[in-house]
Amino acid sequence: MCPNCRAFVDRSDHVCPYCDAKLGPRAIDRRSPAPIAGIIPGTQFTAAMILLINIGLYIVTAVFSMKLRDGRMAFDIPGQILAAFGAKYTPAIAAGEWWRLITAGFLHGGLLHILMNSWALYGLAGQVEELYGSARFIVFYIISTIFGFLASTFWSGALSVGASAGIFGLIGVMIAFGIQHDTSLGSAVRAHYTQWAIYGLVMGLMPGFRVDNAAHLGGLAAGFAIGWLAGPPKLYESWRDTFWKAAAGVCLAVTAFSFLMMTLQLLAVTR
């Protein structure tokens, strides 16, 4: 439809045949870029990268675990390996290693742990990134991870890792979206992700599950708050979108620095 005269036009037209107005790309084409390498949806690239980093780090920590166990295969990662790679460890964070609040969100304690988090992240992160765009998604995920493990730091001195702090942050973002949009779709989204949050928190209270509910609650609250403030991007870029792109750049820089600190510490430990 021509944005000027509202006449129906062919999708291949660059100029409206009725009023001669210049036509740009369709909204769906602006919001849904072509897949990366023909495989990864363009709107879910960042989510896919997070999954790949998580899997890569799990493989590396598993290799270190095998060396510690004289080559014996094991699907759980020892605490000393996780601590060396940057797990949330309250005494270390209190001593100034704040970067652990980020690196802990990319580590996992075992095969079942990473499989469950990858399954949740695969379905949820792609939806949030497609809805809000990559810039907002990056800010949502990193801030939720930081505040999740910050809450865990104040709650307990135990070692903690996992993407679930960021995942609960994304759940909080979707709940905020459902509340802000007073429609049948908004109600459905709010109900669906509220159930996700309840199920996840209840599972953490069940015996036999070593779950960091403090990180979950911290991530959920942070995600809801920042999702409420952000709002989805508009079709045409505004100063708000420029702000979120700058904020995403800061988050990426801080994350890269955290991984650098993790690497330097790991080199010092393994010498």
Side-chain angles (χ1 to χ4, degrees):
M1 181 179 289
C2 173
N4 182 50
C5 69
R6 315 304 291 174
F8 287 103
V9 296
D10 191 271
R11 68 178 63 184
S12 62
D13 287 337
H14 297 288
V15 176
C16 176
Y18 303 100
C19 69
D20 295 326
K22 187 177 179 180
L23 304 176
R26 297 178 301 159
I28 189 172
D29 295 327
R30 296 184 185 212
R31 295 294 299 275
S32 301
I36 308 299
I39 301 174
I40 303 172
T43 53
Q44 301 177 13
F45 176 76
T46 310
M49 290 301 100
I50 290 174
L51 273 173
L52 290 176
I53 293 171
N54 290 349
I55 293 170
L57 278 174
Y58 175 75
I59 293 173
V60 173
T61 53
V63 170
F64 272 77
S65 298
M66 290 178 63
K67 291 183 178 180
L68 188 67
R69 292 163 168 159
D70 297 324
R72 287 177 292 138
M73 176 65 73
F75 294 122
D76 62 307
I77 310 299
Q80 64 193 94
I81 297 293
L82 294 174
F85 271 82
K88 182 234 100 179
Y89 183 50
T90 300
I93 293 173
E97 296 180 3
W98 57 266
W99 46 268
R100 289 176 176 270
L101 298 174
I102 295 178
T103 55
F106 294 88
L107 298 169
H108 290 83
L111 182 61
L112 181 60
H113 189 200
I114 191 170
L115 287 177
M116 291 182 64
N117 279 351
S118 296
W119 170 76
L121 191 61
Y122 177 79
L124 176 58
Q127 293 178 5
V128 175
E129 186 176 3
E130 188 168 2
L131 179 63
Y132 284 91
S134 297
R136 285 168 169 79
F137 169 78
I138 291 170
V139 178
F140 294 158
Y141 193 80
I142 299 301
I143 294 298
S144 297
T145 298
I146 291 173
F147 276 89
F149 284 109
L150 187 62
S152 175
T153 298
F154 283 105
W155 181 259
S156 169
L159 213 65
S160 181
V161 294
S164 52
I167 290 171
F168 268 81
L170 299 182
I171 292 174
V173 169
M174 295 303 287
I175 293 174
F177 174 86
I179 293 175
Q180 286 180 318
H181 292 75
D182 191 16
T183 62
S184 57
L185 174 62
S187 298
V189 169
R190 181 176 67 250
H192 177 71
Y193 287 103
T194 299
Q195 288 179 350
W196 268 47
I198 293 172
Y199 292 156
L201 293 173
V202 168
M203 184 178 294
L205 298 175
M206 296 175 64
F209 286 88
R210 293 183 298 172
V211 176
D212 190 348
N213 263 344
H216 293 176
L217 286 169
L220 182 68
F224 179 87
I226 198 167
W228 184 276
L229 292 173
K234 305 298 182 183
L235 178 58
Y236 295 99
E237 186 169 314
S238 66
W239 69 268
R240 289 168 59 89
D241 296 312
T242 303
F243 168 80
W244 288 107
K245 286 181 180 180
V250 172
C251 286
L252 288 175
V254 173
T255 301
F257 178 79
S258 299
F259 274 92
L260 174 62
M261 296 300 295
M262 176 190 76
T263 303
L264 293 176
Q265 174 167 288
L266 188 62
L267 290 174
V269 170
T270 54
R271 281 176 183 173

